[in-house]
Amino acid sequence: MKALRFLLSGVYLAYILFLSGLYVAAYPLIMFYLSRKKNYRIDDAIRCTNRLYGFFLVKCSWPLVRIRCTGAENLPRNGSAVIVANHRSTSDMFFSPFFTTSNTTVFVRSWPFRIWGLGWFMRRAGYLDMEKSDINYFLAGAGAELFRRGVSFLFFPEGHRSRTGKLQLFRSGAFLTAVEYNIPVIPVCLTGTETFQSMKDHMFRPAVIVITILPPVYPAAFPPEKRALKLKRHVEALIKEHLNEH
Amino acid sequence: MTEQEIAERVKKIMVEEFELKEEILVPTASLYDELGLDSLDSVDLVVALEREFSFKVVRNLDEEKIRAIRQLKDIHEFIMEKQKAMQGEPK
């Protein structure tokens, strides 16, 4: 049984690599269209293209992967937001197109930046190293520029995947960002990704991915003293409460 | 500010930010082994200290000192050093 599962998982991985190859072949055309015809900046075009790639892979993975997404109307149509999601699997990023806006940058840990090729690509896309970025420096500089351009920020505030499935302690970066720019926090609850690719053996399994995008939480609703901390605790409680319902 | 006052304020940060129990926050407690903090927490800790004590951690200049912090008492010493440096700065 384990050997069969291993084989099927390998077949799926080969299929994903094949689809990725197709996408890479089409990549220059998509980038050309976005940057020349739609006048996107290079980093905006890369982020948009990555999002299309995510949609493409997930849609082509049906019926192995089925998505149930609710609350998409809570994502902003214009302007920035801080999107925070719980983190149960490496594949959470794979499903991010379903809970982010078309122009969203991602805060990632240091290790993916060290992978040859991928690191360069992520830097070109304007993804941010959450371990090395000085958040105050970022908020005053690069972050302010992204905010001015209406780019949203995606964080997995737990920092690591949860090994137990339980929500871990949230880090502060997402909430400091929301308070600094006075932009809403959009809490996102993800379930099923831990089944799709488990932490134990990293093999792929059929799964229903349930994505619930909760209504925005505005920093201004909290008293000024330790606003980011209060916002963090509130959003943490909202996600915890929602996950406990499933 | 005395070392005792600094220790109290650091303790408050550790309780609020990392939900740690007050009784384990002794000066010799190891941040990583005993308190269970990691590299991401250290980023949060630096931000919280900067805001609480109104100083700025300067890249390159303070990086080595931050990396050398292992125990709670190292944080107290770092803050005292920063405060001395601030007092010496021209106004």
Side-chain angles (χ1 to χ4, degrees), chain B residues 4 18-20 22 28-29 59 79 83:
Chain B
Q4 184 60 34
F18 307 110
E19 297 182 359
L20 294 168
E22 233 180 297
T28 52
R59 281 178 166 196
I79 294 165
Q83 286 193 330

Side-chain angles (χ1 to χ4, degrees), chain A residues 31-49:
Chain A
M31 283 295 290
F32 179 80
Y33 174 76
L34 291 175
S35 58
R36 292 293 169 89
K37 303 283 178 192
K38 293 273 183 183
N39 291 323
Y40 276 45
R41 289 170 54 127
I42 288 293
D43 59 333
D44 293 338
I46 297 177
R47 285 192 291 269
C48 187
T49 313

Side-chain angles (χ1 to χ4, degrees), chain B residues 32-58:
Chain B
Y32 304 104
D33 298 330
E34 289 169 60
L35 304 184
L37 303 190
D38 63 17
S39 58
L40 290 178
D41 295 317
S42 62
V43 174
D44 269 15
L45 179 60
V46 168
V47 175
L49 293 174
E50 283 181 332
R51 288 178 184 227
E52 179 71 27
F53 295 97
S54 310
F55 62 69
K56 191 89 198 75
V57 169
V58 185

Side-chain angles (χ1 to χ4, degrees), chain A residues 181-195:
Chain A
Y181 306 136
N182 196 21
I183 51 176
V185 175
I186 317 284
V188 175
C189 304
L190 294 175
T191 57
T193 57
E194 72 282 11
T195 309

